[in-house]
Amino acid sequence: MPEFRFDSIADFFAMGGYGFYVWVSYGFFAVVMGYNLWLPYRQRANTLRLLQARQLRQHGQAGIESDLRQQQNAQQQQGEAH
Amino acid sequence: MWQWFYKLGSPRYFYEMTTGFVPWLARATFLLLAIGLVWGLGFAPPDYQMGDNYRIIYIHVPTASGAIWIYAMMAVMAAMHMIWNIKVADMVAKSCALIGASFCAVALVTGAFWGKPTWGTYWIWDAKLTATLILFFVYVGVMALRSAFDSETAASKAASVLTLVGVVNLPIIYYAAYWWNTLHQRSSELGVRDASANPPEIWIPAVFSGFGLIGLIFVIIILHTRNEILLRERRAQWVQELVKQETGNA
């Protein structure tokens, strides 16, 4: 079983004097990878919202068109009746 | 096997296959990365020459080789898209660009912060470093070229061609330390072939972080590709139903 190589947490952060280089490297890595993981989740939410809006618009238009058609049909029928 | 591979070319099959698969891959990835990095940072013995500074190796080496392999995958996908006109291949190629550029950037930055205390400089125009910087610019170029077209077909074609041209850079990076004796050291092969190079206490955590990062590459590429599938297949019945389900509007 590998043992912890540092005497204390402060010692761990100091990295034998190389703390600055090691932690900047790991920090940059964490930030870039975190961004790469977060991005597709945000894109998915955006894509779904976009496609939902598209669907609602199409359904809305189709709905208005069928309403108009019904109205026209009703008017035509009224006109024929007169 | 080939039939399965062939089926993955169908956007719907790719999407449905990955729905159940990604969460498990993500869990395995997280576990491998956590083990590899904690082990590498705290439990691996210090290097006899570089002290604790060498611990950067656990992210530098996998991101640098990852940057090359992601590009190779992007090129294979670009070729498949050009030759057989497989839509999913183009979507995967598109998803490779950002994560590849990110791996390249991490390799360059971690290399700089490793180089400063060991070589005395953050940057030098060494063959391997310069070729890696060019790889970064090629990734950025592929992304920029793709976004410069309004037509999706034209964008895919242009990006595929540029991707294939950029392949010449890969062997240059890989063999740079052998062809030119500038500064970047040759790979120490992690002591797998030459047991005296590195003891297992040093290279075992690198195996964990390496496989963890391979997992991360695939998780991110699959998630991007799934978004791309929803967007490009938006007119398909199954996507429309999925959107209704996911957004809860009937």
Side-chain angles (χ1 to χ4, degrees):
Chain A
M1 196 57 202
E3 51 174 320
F4 194 56
R5 300 283 170 170
F6 298 93
D7 297 331
S8 65
I9 289 299
D11 196 31
F12 175 62
F13 284 115
M15 279 285 153
Y18 294 113
F20 171 70
Y21 303 104
V22 173
W23 294 115
V24 166
S25 295
Y26 275 79
F28 185 72
F29 167 79
V31 168
V32 171
M33 294 306 144
Y35 175 73
N36 268 287
L37 265 180
W38 169 78
L39 197 64
Y41 282 97
R42 200 200 59 174
Q43 276 177 343
R44 182 177 168 84
N46 285 349
T47 305
L48 286 174
R49 210 177 309 126
L50 188 83
L51 296 186
Q52 182 196 22
R54 232 182 79 102
Q55 270 184 359
L56 286 179
R57 209 162 55 229
Q58 280 177 342
H59 285 181
Q61 237 166 25
I64 290 166
E65 274 164 17
S66 73
D67 281 355
L68 275 175
R69 226 173 293 130
Q70 273 176 359
Q71 265 183 4
Q72 279 171 350
N73 283 346
Q75 279 171 357
Q76 267 179 3
Q77 276 167 5
Q78 272 183 355
E80 280 163 12
H82 278 289
Chain B
M1 166 73 199
W2 280 108
Q3 212 170 11
W4 175 79
F5 203 70
Y6 188 73
K7 273 205 280 190
L8 267 186
S10 139
R12 182 179 184 172
Y13 185 76
F14 185 100
Y15 191 95
E16 283 166 0
M17 265 296 293
T18 49
T19 302
F21 173 64
V22 162
W24 288 103
L25 185 62
R27 270 170 226 155
T29 294
F30 182 76
L31 197 69
L32 286 168
L33 268 182
I35 294 173
L37 297 186
V38 169
W39 193 343
L41 274 171
F43 295 86
D47 184 76
Y48 78 103
Q49 264 184 331
M50 292 182 275
D52 291 314
N53 190 233
Y54 94 94
R55 295 181 194 281
I56 293 173
I57 201 175
Y58 298 111
I59 47 176
H60 176 73
V61 171
T63 49
S65 60
I68 297 175
W69 286 111
I70 295 168
Y71 198 94
M73 176 153 72
M74 186 162 86
V76 170
M77 291 297 149
M80 282 170 69
H81 170 64
M82 296 277 284
I83 297 167
W84 294 298
N85 203 13
I86 302 172
K87 279 189 284 181
V88 170
D90 182 55
M91 299 185 209
V92 174
K94 185 180 178 186
S95 311
C96 286
L98 182 65
I99 180 70
S102 302
F103 266 56
C104 213
V106 170
L108 287 166
V109 168
T110 56
F113 280 88
W114 196 356
K116 181 64 181 165
T118 43
W119 295 342
T121 177
Y122 284 109
W123 182 260
I124 183 171
W125 295 99
D126 160 270
K128 194 157 189 151
L129 275 62
T130 309
T132 308
L133 185 65
I134 291 172
L135 180 69
F136 177 75
F137 289 140
V138 173
Y139 272 125
V140 175
V142 169
M143 282 191 280
L145 188 64
R146 192 184 277 275
S147 63
F149 289 87
D150 286 330
S151 146
E152 211 157 67
T153 343
S156 305
K157 256 186 212 158
S160 301
V161 171
L162 181 60
T163 301
L164 290 174
V165 171
V167 170
V168 293
N169 196 20
L170 297 188
I172 297 179
I173 301 177
Y174 200 81
Y175 293 109
Y178 297 92
W179 290 346
W180 299 283
N181 254 320
T182 38
L183 192 54
H184 196 288
Q185 82 216 62
R186 291 169 187 191
S187 162
S188 54
E189 306 277 2
L190 291 170
V192 177
R193 273 171 236 178
D194 176 10
S196 67
N198 276 317
E201 300 90 73
I202 283 184
W203 63 255
I204 290 175
V207 171
F208 277 95
S209 75
F211 278 102
L213 278 171
I214 292 173
L216 192 67
I217 291 169
F218 280 101
V219 167
I220 288 170
I221 288 177
I222 290 170
L223 289 178
H224 267 288
T225 306
R226 285 164 59 84
N227 291 341
E228 199 66 25
I229 287 173
L230 289 184
L231 204 58
R232 290 201 204 176
E233 298 291 303
R234 58 185 178 268
R235 288 182 195 88
Q237 187 68 31
W238 72 271
V239 173
Q240 301 213 342
E241 268 156 27
L242 188 130
V243 170
K244 268 181 208 161
Q245 257 180 16
E246 294 276 316
T247 54
N249 91 75

